[in-house]
Amino acid sequence: MADDDNPGLALPVLNTAVLSSTEHLAIDPDIDDDDNDSALGGSINDNQPSSASIASTIFNYRKLHGRTFHNFQTGDLQYWGPNDEEMSEGMDYFHHALQMALDDKLFLAPLDNPQRVLDVGAGTGMWTIDFADSFPSASVTGIDLSPMQPSWIPPNCKFIIDDLSQPWAFPDNYFDFIHIRYMMGCFRDWTRLYKECFRCLKPGGWLQHGEPGPGLRSDDGTLPEIWNEWTAHCMRASEMLGQPFDIPADARWPQWLEDGGFPVAGIRKKTFHMPVGMWPAEKKWKTIGALHGLAVDVGLEGFVLYTHTRVLGWEYSEVQAFLAKVRAALRSRRNHTYVVWTFAWVQKPLVE
């Protein structure tokens, strides 16, 4: 897989607009170093799914320390994220932050009038709905384990509750575009998933997959050690589950795609930095950092509750004590941190 920012890995570049790299975000020199003020910068103002085939047991959520998790039969797959209102709020903040970071682009692949589109792991359905609104002639399907999506949706949009780690029910050569985003730790066998993507894409159709690296980074040595501890815990839980969390940094990623049927020489990739907090100097990235910071803050317990108690074996009180330290580091204006995001897109060959 070639990296647009690494000249040592040569790959033909598509004649299409891609996101500019943000390797070195400038720090606002006037940022307040008072740790009593949140680096997130205050507030940002801004049911039922449509599928009628959901069994009633879907809504009998599993509960863990006051949080709810999906109750869909997934075999040996363990999904770690809650499906409650608090988690949904964080996911929506995150969607808005990522859309701003992508200059309001919903995709980077060079699509040409897509008519059938699949969103893998639709979550609250915001990307699915936005795409349906932007392409009214397209039929857009979002799939997730949990019914977290709104009931008021565009007429060309629908949501299905299903487990895509199992064989898909869609026919061969069906979709023009398959979109995957933020599915870290959600699948054991990425090759099997990519094989289903390849089978269900039309010749000439596109697959796009975007993921963050785990944990946070900084360019000026302000990354607190507690964040490194959190990353280490997540990676250990990932290994115990057998469900990769660090997909962009995993050397097997291009191999999974190739084993799934996609031509590895055709993979295009873009990497950029997404700040956490209002420390960037540029107004756009300051707003993105505020939204992203809110997303992380609101979703913080949901990110670790299942993995740390059910996988790593922590007590609930230990989790809360650890989260207090993580949240303090998150809210400090002295920490100029960011998450590395990577998007990859590849086309199914026109002639197989």
Side-chain angles (χ1 to χ4, degrees):
M1 182 179 297
D3 190 328
D4 294 352
D5 300 318
N6 188 342
L9 298 176
L11 185 69
V13 179
L14 290 174
N15 292 323
T16 184
V18 295
L19 182 68
S20 298
S21 174
T22 57
E23 284 300 318
H24 300 286
L25 291 170
I27 299 171
D28 182 353
D30 297 323
I31 193 73
D32 188 354
D33 278 340
D34 183 359
D35 282 343
N36 292 322
D37 290 336
S38 171
L40 308 184
S43 63
I44 299 292
N45 293 323
D46 266 344
N47 316 10
Q48 298 283 346
S50 60
S51 175
S53 61
I54 304 171
S56 61
T57 55
I58 294 295
F59 296 95
N60 296 327
Y61 300 135
R62 291 182 294 124
K63 295 182 179 179
L64 179 63
H65 299 293
R67 305 297 297 270
T68 61
F69 295 75
H70 78 86
N71 194 39
F72 198 86
Q73 178 58 251
T74 57
D76 60 352
L77 183 68
Q78 299 182 61
Y79 179 59
W80 50 267
N83 59 6
D84 50 25
E85 185 175 348
E86 184 175 347
M87 195 66 174
S88 296
E89 180 184 356
M91 292 171 67
D92 288 347
Y93 280 134
F94 166 77
H95 171 77
H96 289 304
L98 190 57
Q99 283 306 108
M100 286 191 67
L102 292 172
D103 294 325
D104 293 326
K105 296 182 178 72
L106 289 169
F107 53 88
L108 298 175
L111 304 183
D112 182 18
N113 192 30
Q115 293 302 296
R116 290 199 185 104
V117 176
L118 176 66
D119 186 17
V120 173
T124 63
M126 295 200 74
W127 185 95
T128 322
I129 292 169
D130 285 351
F131 195 99
D133 281 335
S134 299
F135 293 85
S137 67
S139 174
V140 186
T141 301
I143 294 188
D144 200 89
L145 287 171
S146 290
M148 304 169 65
Q149 305 79 32
S151 56
W152 292 95
I153 58 176
N156 60 324
C157 175
K158 66 178 178 180
F159 292 102
I160 298 174
I161 306 306
D162 204 351
D163 176 13
L164 290 181
S165 70
Q166 305 301 313
W168 295 7
F170 299 110
D172 296 352
N173 306 317
Y174 188 71
F175 292 106
D176 298 294
F177 181 45
I178 296 178
H179 173 263
I180 306 174
R181 188 179 74 179
Y182 207 8
M183 298 298 288
M184 56 189 295
C186 294
F187 294 101
R188 287 177 177 266
D189 190 342
W190 278 99
T191 294
R192 181 166 68 178
L193 184 85
Y194 288 143
K195 283 181 177 179
E196 289 293 79
C197 290
F198 188 87
R199 178 183 67 80
C200 294
L201 275 173
K202 294 178 181 178
W206 287 87
L207 166 69
Q208 179 176 299
H209 186 177
E211 292 289 341
L216 276 72
R217 301 183 185 183
S218 74
D219 292 331
D220 62 354
T222 61
L223 180 67
E225 181 57 32
I226 193 69
W227 283 103
N228 290 327
E229 292 180 29
W230 184 19
T231 302
H233 298 325
C234 289
M235 296 310 296
R236 182 174 170 227
S238 169
E239 292 174 2
M240 294 175 69
L241 286 170
Q243 297 167 198
F245 276 58
D246 193 3
I247 297 169
D250 198 313
R252 299 172 296 174
W253 193 15
Q255 191 63 53
W256 293 334
L257 282 163
E258 186 175 31
D259 291 346
F262 294 96
V264 69
I267 300 171
R268 303 319 194 246
K269 188 180 79 167
K270 193 65 190 176
T271 299
F272 65 96
H273 293 174
M274 193 160 164
V276 180
M278 295 184 68
W279 59 265
E282 186 179 343
K283 182 178 179 180
K284 166 189 168 181
W285 291 102
K286 186 183 292 291
T287 304
I288 291 169
L291 283 166
H292 191 202
L294 283 170
V296 176
D297 198 359
V298 171
L300 198 55
E301 183 183 77
F303 293 150
V304 304
L305 187 59
Y306 185 87
T307 55
H308 283 53
T309 59
R310 292 299 179 91
V311 181
L312 298 180
W314 289 26
E315 296 294 332
Y316 181 66
S317 59
E318 292 181 278
V319 173
Q320 293 305 316
F322 178 73
L323 286 179
K325 297 177 182 178
V326 174
R327 188 168 279 111
L330 171 68
R331 295 177 176 179
S332 171
R333 293 179 181 270
R334 294 192 178 100
N335 301 326
H336 310 136
T337 55
Y338 60 84
V339 173
V340 178
W341 262 86
T342 303
F343 281 82
W345 56 99
V346 63
Q347 187 178 33
K348 180 175 179 176
L350 288 168
V351 179
E352 300 185 39

